[in-house]
Short mmCIF file of all heavy atoms in Angstrom, two decimals:
data_model
loop_
_atom_site.label_atom_id
_atom_site.label_comp_id
_atom_site.label_asym_id
_atom_site.label_seq_id
_atom_site.Cartn_x
_atom_site.Cartn_y
_atom_site.Cartn_z
N HIS J 132 32.24 -23.15 -10.07
CA HIS J 132 32.40 -24.46 -9.46
C HIS J 132 31.09 -25.23 -9.51
O HIS J 132 30.04 -24.68 -9.19
CB HIS J 132 32.82 -24.26 -8.01
CG HIS J 132 33.56 -25.44 -7.46
ND1 HIS J 132 32.89 -26.49 -6.92
CD2 HIS J 132 34.87 -25.71 -7.38
CE1 HIS J 132 33.78 -27.38 -6.52
NE2 HIS J 132 34.99 -26.94 -6.79
N PRO J 133 31.13 -26.50 -9.92
CA PRO J 133 29.87 -27.25 -10.00
C PRO J 133 29.19 -27.42 -8.64
O PRO J 133 27.97 -27.54 -8.56
CB PRO J 133 30.30 -28.60 -10.57
CG PRO J 133 31.77 -28.65 -10.43
CD PRO J 133 32.26 -27.26 -10.43
N ALA J 134 29.98 -27.40 -7.58
CA ALA J 134 29.38 -27.61 -6.26
C ALA J 134 28.47 -26.46 -5.87
O ALA J 134 27.65 -26.59 -4.97
CB ALA J 134 30.48 -27.76 -5.22
N SER J 135 28.61 -25.32 -6.55
CA SER J 135 27.77 -24.19 -6.15
C SER J 135 26.36 -24.31 -6.73
O SER J 135 25.54 -23.44 -6.54
CB SER J 135 28.40 -22.90 -6.62
OG SER J 135 28.44 -22.89 -8.03
N GLN J 136 26.10 -25.41 -7.43
CA GLN J 136 24.76 -25.58 -7.99
C GLN J 136 23.86 -26.38 -7.05
O GLN J 136 22.86 -26.94 -7.47
CB GLN J 136 24.85 -26.29 -9.34
CG GLN J 136 25.71 -25.56 -10.34
CD GLN J 136 25.37 -24.09 -10.45
OE1 GLN J 136 24.20 -23.73 -10.56
NE2 GLN J 136 26.38 -23.23 -10.38
N ARG J 137 24.21 -26.45 -5.80
CA ARG J 137 23.36 -27.17 -4.85
C ARG J 137 22.04 -26.43 -4.68
O ARG J 137 22.00 -25.21 -4.71
CB ARG J 137 24.05 -27.25 -3.50
CG ARG J 137 25.24 -28.17 -3.52
CD ARG J 137 25.64 -28.50 -2.10
NE ARG J 137 26.97 -29.10 -2.11
CZ ARG J 137 28.02 -28.53 -1.54
NH1 ARG J 137 27.90 -27.39 -0.90
NH2 ARG J 137 29.18 -29.13 -1.57
N HIS J 138 21.01 -27.21 -4.47
CA HIS J 138 19.68 -26.61 -4.35
C HIS J 138 19.13 -26.77 -2.94
O HIS J 138 19.28 -27.83 -2.34
CB HIS J 138 18.72 -27.26 -5.35
CG HIS J 138 19.09 -26.95 -6.77
ND1 HIS J 138 18.53 -27.58 -7.83
CD2 HIS J 138 19.97 -26.06 -7.28
CE1 HIS J 138 19.05 -27.11 -8.95
NE2 HIS J 138 19.93 -26.18 -8.63
N TYR J 139 18.52 -25.71 -2.46
CA TYR J 139 17.94 -25.76 -1.12
C TYR J 139 16.48 -25.37 -1.18
O TYR J 139 16.07 -24.57 -2.04
CB TYR J 139 18.71 -24.82 -0.19
CG TYR J 139 20.15 -25.21 -0.06
CD1 TYR J 139 21.15 -24.53 -0.75
CD2 TYR J 139 20.53 -26.30 0.71
CE1 TYR J 139 22.48 -24.91 -0.66
CE2 TYR J 139 21.85 -26.69 0.81
CZ TYR J 139 22.82 -26.00 0.12
OH TYR J 139 24.13 -26.39 0.21
N CYS J 140 15.73 -25.92 -0.24
CA CYS J 140 14.30 -25.69 -0.18
C CYS J 140 14.03 -24.20 0.04
O CYS J 140 14.62 -23.57 0.91
CB CYS J 140 13.71 -26.50 0.95
SG CYS J 140 11.96 -26.24 1.23
N ASP J 141 13.13 -23.64 -0.76
CA ASP J 141 12.87 -22.21 -0.63
C ASP J 141 12.09 -21.88 0.62
O ASP J 141 12.08 -20.73 1.06
CB ASP J 141 12.09 -21.73 -1.85
CG ASP J 141 13.00 -21.57 -3.04
OD1 ASP J 141 14.08 -21.00 -2.86
OD2 ASP J 141 12.64 -22.03 -4.14
N ILE J 142 11.43 -22.86 1.19
CA ILE J 142 10.62 -22.56 2.37
C ILE J 142 11.37 -22.89 3.65
O ILE J 142 11.45 -22.07 4.55
CB ILE J 142 9.27 -23.31 2.27
CG1 ILE J 142 8.48 -22.70 1.12
CG2 ILE J 142 8.49 -23.22 3.57
CD1 ILE J 142 7.27 -23.43 0.73
N THR J 143 11.95 -24.10 3.73
CA THR J 143 12.62 -24.46 4.98
C THR J 143 14.12 -24.27 4.91
O THR J 143 14.77 -24.21 5.95
CB THR J 143 12.35 -25.94 5.32
OG1 THR J 143 12.85 -26.73 4.27
CG2 THR J 143 10.88 -26.19 5.50
N GLY J 144 14.70 -24.23 3.73
CA GLY J 144 16.15 -24.10 3.63
C GLY J 144 16.87 -25.44 3.63
O GLY J 144 18.09 -25.49 3.48
N LEU J 145 16.13 -26.53 3.79
CA LEU J 145 16.75 -27.86 3.78
C LEU J 145 17.11 -28.26 2.34
O LEU J 145 16.66 -27.63 1.40
CB LEU J 145 15.75 -28.87 4.38
CG LEU J 145 15.34 -28.59 5.82
CD1 LEU J 145 14.23 -29.53 6.23
CD2 LEU J 145 16.53 -28.76 6.73
N PRO J 146 17.94 -29.29 2.19
CA PRO J 146 18.27 -29.72 0.83
C PRO J 146 16.99 -30.02 0.03
O PRO J 146 16.05 -30.60 0.56
CB PRO J 146 19.06 -31.00 1.05
CG PRO J 146 19.64 -30.86 2.40
CD PRO J 146 18.65 -30.06 3.20
N ALA J 147 16.98 -29.60 -1.22
CA ALA J 147 15.74 -29.71 -1.99
C ALA J 147 15.96 -30.54 -3.23
O ALA J 147 16.55 -30.09 -4.21
CB ALA J 147 15.24 -28.32 -2.38
N PRO J 148 15.50 -31.79 -3.23
CA PRO J 148 15.65 -32.61 -4.43
C PRO J 148 14.59 -32.29 -5.48
O PRO J 148 14.71 -32.73 -6.61
CB PRO J 148 15.49 -34.04 -3.92
CG PRO J 148 14.94 -33.94 -2.55
CD PRO J 148 14.91 -32.53 -2.12
N TYR J 149 13.53 -31.58 -5.11
CA TYR J 149 12.42 -31.38 -6.05
C TYR J 149 12.21 -29.92 -6.38
O TYR J 149 12.62 -29.04 -5.63
CB TYR J 149 11.11 -31.93 -5.47
CG TYR J 149 11.25 -33.26 -4.81
CD1 TYR J 149 11.21 -33.37 -3.42
CD2 TYR J 149 11.42 -34.41 -5.56
CE1 TYR J 149 11.35 -34.59 -2.80
CE2 TYR J 149 11.56 -35.64 -4.95
CZ TYR J 149 11.52 -35.73 -3.57
OH TYR J 149 11.66 -36.92 -2.97
N LYS J 150 11.50 -29.71 -7.48
CA LYS J 150 11.15 -28.36 -7.87
C LYS J 150 9.73 -28.39 -8.41
O LYS J 150 9.38 -29.27 -9.19
CB LYS J 150 12.11 -27.87 -8.95
CG LYS J 150 11.84 -26.46 -9.38
CD LYS J 150 12.86 -26.06 -10.43
CE LYS J 150 12.39 -24.80 -11.13
NZ LYS J 150 13.28 -24.44 -12.21
N ASP J 151 8.92 -27.46 -7.97
CA ASP J 151 7.54 -27.38 -8.45
C ASP J 151 7.56 -26.63 -9.78
O ASP J 151 7.92 -25.46 -9.82
CB ASP J 151 6.69 -26.63 -7.42
CG ASP J 151 5.27 -26.43 -7.91
OD1 ASP J 151 4.86 -27.20 -8.79
OD2 ASP J 151 4.59 -25.53 -7.41
N PRO J 152 7.19 -27.31 -10.86
CA PRO J 152 7.32 -26.65 -12.17
C PRO J 152 6.42 -25.43 -12.30
O PRO J 152 6.71 -24.54 -13.07
CB PRO J 152 6.93 -27.75 -13.15
CG PRO J 152 6.17 -28.74 -12.36
CD PRO J 152 6.65 -28.67 -10.97
#
Side-chain angles (χ1 to χ4, degrees):
Chain J
H132 204 274
S135 64
Q136 302 311 313
R137 290 195 194 116
H138 293 169
Y139 299 101
C140 176
D141 283 315
I142 293 170
T143 60
L145 299 173
Y149 317 106
K150 181 179 166 184
D151 176 22

